Amino acid sequence: MKFRSWKNVIREGVKNTGRNRVMSMASIGAIMAALFVLGVIIATIINLNNAVAELESKVEITIYMAKEASEEDIKEAKSKLNSWEGILEAKFIDKDQALEDWRKEMGDKSYLLEGYTSENNPLPDTFLIRVENPQYVEDLVNKAKTLASVEEVRYSSDVVNSISGIARAVRFVGMAIVILLSIMSIIIISNAIKMSVHSRRREINIMKYIGATNWYIRWPFLIEGLILGMIGAILAGAATAGVYSLLLKKAQEPDNFLSIFGLLPLENIVYPILSLYLIIGCIIGALASGLSMRKYLNV
Amino acid sequence: MIKMTKVTKAYGNLKAIKDVDLTINNGEFVFIVGPSGAGKSTFIKLLLKEIEPSSGKININGLELTEMKRRDIPYYRRNIGVVFQDFRLLPDKTVFDNVAFAMEIVEASGREIRRQVPAVLAMVGLASKARAYPHELAGGEQQRVSLARALVNNPSLLIADEPTGNLDPVTAREIMKIINLVNYRGTTVIMATHAREIVNAMKKRVITFRKGSVVADRAKGEYFGEV
């Protein structure tokens, strides 16, 4: 098609969108709802994945030695830990050091710990182990339990597993909702386009007699669908950004429950989501108008 | 040249057109007459390739219509101007835009449109009404707009389906004058009509259909038989 024809079909597409105001608004609302839900899901998943990655990167195994552990036991544990594969760093914190650290941490409330000396220190000797890679954790934990005089072995993978599980569930349920809402918005938009085509059937009929190509007739309606999809996407993007920045603000208040989540900054969320919105909005709009026009073009 | 060979169009058991053989030369003026349901509309739809014949061949200026690809139909139709009984103008466009619309569709330039539309409006006698809307015009004027739209792309064939059906005799005669002028300038005209007085006054070739068959085909013929 020539440039001036593109001008014509775009002008007609814009006119169509304005002409069926109610249907246009319903379509934009439907697409917006579908995309907004998608955005909520994506924002949740991105944040959960981030939390998982962060936790995994600092997977630590903490080995608490028993009170009665001898110098020999600790020496042996040290040398064994240094020989095992997958350990980035094995840091030994003796109980006196731990007590000292605790005192420092307490600051001006350190008087609370005054009664404790190296004689009655309640803290155990501890090994803090940083692991090269999360896959070693399980094996190392099992081996650590076999060391002599070990009281307890703790690690953070339980948390990682449960967060991953939540992310999986969110992805699964969320995708089902998004697909449902997308289908709904396709139906609503294709109805809007059908009405638009119907209200212009005389014009289409005349165009066919004069010798307009099918694409010349089709383009204004495709453009109408694209416009609806794009407006819906932009509004959904604005809504997502608004809600997310509100959450970020809340999360900064110290006593708000949201503050326990390390939320990612706005730009990490909004730019990927907005571009996705635009792509999906356009696809839904074009698909819906394409579907609704097939039978009207046979003159 | 339009050449139909053994053309039949059946809808189920009903044959709207039966074994029609006919030839129309370029530049001819042909009336298609006959009672309602005789096959006139089917004949026109076949020429426009709106429908396909059940059997037979239609050849137009060497083009085999039955073998034409779907995507070539628009380009074929650009050589044909069509006028209907109900005018089929777009109510929200001015006279000028209704005619310009036909040129936009065939991707004419703005300059061509600005030159060609006033010329064709002048030819149909509507130069002064370019900015009017269809509802502001009388029936005869609306049909002139419709004619202008059909002619603006210089078609080699004009098909008119009952163009005077909604008009009073005086207005109808004026429309016929324009159509006659178009034919005089070399465009082939095929006009389906019930208007006995017009057919008899014009002294052109008359093809009479009845029950899907051609029952009479006479040069300088007259309308005969019951309507």
Side-chain angles (χ1 to χ4, degrees), chain A residues 196-255:
Chain A
S196 183
V197 172
H198 189 74
S199 73
R200 297 188 62 179
R201 64 195 182 284
R202 285 172 60 91
E203 203 168 335
I204 292 175
N205 183 273
I206 295 164
M207 288 166 95
K208 302 278 307 192
Y209 280 121
I210 296 170
T213 58
N214 277 350
W215 275 107
Y216 190 92
I217 297 171
R218 219 176 262 147
W219 266 113
F221 299 106
L222 276 178
I223 285 166
E224 184 179 353
L226 285 175
I227 290 173
L228 295 175
M230 263 182 340
I231 294 177
I234 290 167
L235 289 179
T240 313
V243 170
Y244 195 79
S245 54
L246 207 74
L247 285 180
L248 277 176
K249 217 188 214 166
K250 289 266 180 209
Q252 270 159 15
E253 292 167 9
D255 35 337

Side-chain angles (χ1 to χ4, degrees), chain A residues 1-5 8 11-12 15 19 200 202-203 205-214 216 297-299, chain B residues 48 50 70 74-75 77-78 80 82 84 88-90 92-93 101-102 104-110 112 149 153:
Chain A
M1 257 191 337
K2 292 178 183 165
F3 174 69
R4 52 175 170 267
S5 301
N8 286 340
R11 191 188 59 215
E12 291 302 314
K15 261 201 233 163
R19 211 174 320 203
R200 297 188 62 179
R202 285 172 60 91
E203 203 168 335
N205 183 273
I206 295 164
M207 288 166 95
K208 302 278 307 192
Y209 280 121
I210 296 170
T213 58
N214 277 350
Y216 190 92
L297 276 176
N298 297 322
V299 175
Chain B
L48 288 168
E50 215 179 310
R70 279 186 67 85
Y75 302 97
R77 286 188 184 153
R78 290 176 188 188
I80 305 174
V82 196
F84 300 95
R88 300 198 190 176
L89 302 176
L90 299 173
D92 57 342
K93 284 192 196 305
F101 175 67
E104 280 172 13
I105 283 169
V106 300
E107 309 199 57
S109 72
E112 287 170 301
R149 185 181 61 196
N153 290 325

